[in-house]
Amino acid sequence: MPVVSTNRRTVEGGALAVASGLLSGYAALAVAELAASLLRPRAGPLTAVGGAAIDRTPPALKDYAIRAFGENDKLVLRLGILAVLALSSAAFGLIALRHRRTGAAAVLAFGLAGAVAAVSRPDATGVADALPSVAGAVVGAAVLHLLVGGVTGPWALFSAGAPGGQEPGGESRPSRRGFLFAAGAAALAATGAGALGRAVTGRRGRGAVASREAVRLPAPASPAAPVPPGAQLRIPGVSAFTTPNADFYRVDTALVVPRVDAGAWRLRVHGAGVDRPRTFTFEELLGRKLIERDITLTCVSNEVGGPYAGNARWLGVRLADVLREVGVRPPSTGGPADQLVARSVDGMTLGTPVEDVMDGRDALLAVGMNGEPLPFDHGFPVRMVVPGLYGYVSACKWIEDIELTTFDAYDPYWVRRQWAPKAPIKTQARIDTPKPFARTPAGTVMVAGVAWAQHRGITRVELRVDDGPWEEARLAEQDTSDTWRQWSFPWKSAPGGHHLTVRATDGAGEVQTERRSRTVPDGASGWHSVFVTAG
């Protein structure tokens, strides 16, 4: 047999084997997601494996992903998972070309890994969560076995004597027609399964959407004071004092945003020191005395000068009132619990000091954000908001459970991953304009930005040009000590390159530290600086 003919057969067989592997992976994923849509969408392999990857990612790497990809970090993770699935599927196809059973077994093992990830998730409901990955793996293995040539007739693609014709010299070659027929049927069936799964999941989500659209937020018994006219500087480039919902940062571990039906939602309050455990409905919360407050939130993953801070007008129930109602006392008055563990519907746990929640600050079970029900991205139907604490120890979204316990007895999600158990927000100032490496005209340049030290307030902001003296900036009017504060400085620039550095002083008289630290374990510190060229 000519060498060219043998090489061509080898290349063609390998290409069809790779295609077979890719189609088997596609079919497995489609069937698994369909099964998840019928059982529990968050048990799907993409969500389960992605969640497991997030759980096992070192804090430094996770922090890098947030810095590098921002709110697209979850999209990048999903694409990475799909890329690994595609490469693995192609490899399984090549293995099956010579050892069909081994290739099919590899697909089953891959599915088993997805099943293990699903049942080990914090929000897993039992062994049933393994079924989507198992179903997908079985279908994927069957498709691979079929396409590579496991049966007789026109689909016996790679076995000797396949009816694809004869090479010169009498050698058999793969049947293109048979392969295309089988591959097309597999692709069509997988696409149909995937489309049906998306439709079922979408129909489930429509109930949650309808429940949100039906919410009519009551007027607050204690409305927020109007924002002072001077709180928003009219300087181009400065962050808006009130962050629109669509622009508010989102940093969490949820690969799929939970869509919770408000009518079915419940909040259980229980644990140490709770004399009267209780479960609340959404309607019961809406029927209570609601308060409205402007509060700035900050993510602990925010680097110095970073974007993960935002200010909104929140509507909700005082969390301290709910706790007192069920018998909770803070540790300072003899209460046995010093930690409040909040659990989300997706299994996330956050730990908050009970003393902070009950010390008089406006800690909320929030139901509204900037005049509307919470968006799904930000925790609908109910989330926690606690002024002065980083989000990872206070801002539980999609909350469904509050347990009173102690810091010694329980480590929440982030504490088990090297973050500090307690994390008050550090004083920070940020230059919003000019941007880093900007070219500014010679003469007076308006430098401006925001500063925050929630629950303490900002009393002073200073700017330094190069190694010159610190000069006091003009502060915008303060709304409350729980909100950020804008500032500006008319800089008389000289031609050339310059470093602009800013620092703030909080309401307790503490000057923002120069010491540079990363976000782990309790938030970044240091002065924000930008380099600009004038003239």
Side-chain angles (χ1 to χ4, degrees), residues 151-318:
V151 296
T152 59
W155 291 357
L157 304 180
F158 297 104
S159 57
Q166 299 289 321
E167 296 283 358
E171 297 291 336
S172 63
R173 61 179 173 81
S175 168
R176 296 186 187 88
R177 182 179 300 174
F179 176 83
L180 290 175
F181 179 81
L188 185 63
T191 301
L196 180 58
R198 287 190 294 274
V200 172
T201 300
R203 189 159 53 246
R204 283 192 170 197
R206 282 198 290 273
V209 172
S211 75
R212 182 179 181 273
E213 291 175 346
V215 171
R216 298 296 179 264
L217 295 176
S222 174
V227 175
Q232 173 69 63
L233 299 178
R234 296 185 178 181
I235 298 175
V238 176
S239 301
F241 179 78
T242 298
T243 309
N245 289 354
D247 298 333
F248 208 95
Y249 75 90
R250 179 196 163 204
V251 178
D252 54 51
T253 63
L255 281 176
V256 177
V257 174
R259 295 195 168 226
V260 181
D261 189 317
W265 176 86
R266 299 291 185 271
L267 174 65
R268 181 186 176 213
V269 183
H270 62 107
V274 177
D275 298 332
R276 298 171 293 279
R278 184 170 171 186
T279 299
F280 294 88
T281 68
F282 186 66
E283 287 300 321
E284 285 173 338
L285 285 189
L286 289 186
R288 298 174 67 95
K289 176 183 176 181
L290 301 181
I291 68 170
E292 183 183 58
R293 296 292 185 266
D294 293 326
I295 300 171
T296 297
L297 300 187
T298 307
C299 180
V300 74
S301 295
N302 199 45
E303 293 281 355
V304 172
Y308 301 125
N311 186 61
R313 177 157 288 193
W314 305 94
L315 177 72
V317 175
R318 286 188 188 275

Side-chain angles (χ1 to χ4, degrees), residues 71-147:
E71 296 184 20
N72 294 317
D73 59 339
K74 298 168 190 65
L75 173 61
V76 172
L77 176 60
R78 279 178 167 272
L79 292 175
I81 293 172
L82 290 173
V84 170
L85 175 62
L87 291 172
S88 300
S89 299
F92 298 158
L94 291 173
I95 292 171
L97 180 60
R98 293 184 177 276
H99 307 285
R100 282 183 284 118
R101 290 182 180 177
T102 302
V107 175
L108 291 172
F110 215 65
L112 179 61
V116 170
V119 298
S120 63
R121 298 295 301 138
D123 63 333
T125 58
V127 294
D129 281 0
L131 294 179
S133 293
V134 171
V138 170
V139 170
V143 168
L144 182 62
H145 194 271
L146 171 71
L147 291 180

Side-chain angles (χ1 to χ4, degrees), residues 55-71:
D55 291 349
R56 290 160 178 77
T57 300
L61 182 57
K62 192 176 299 184
D63 216 37
Y64 168 77
I66 292 173
R67 291 198 311 274
F69 305 115
E71 296 184 20

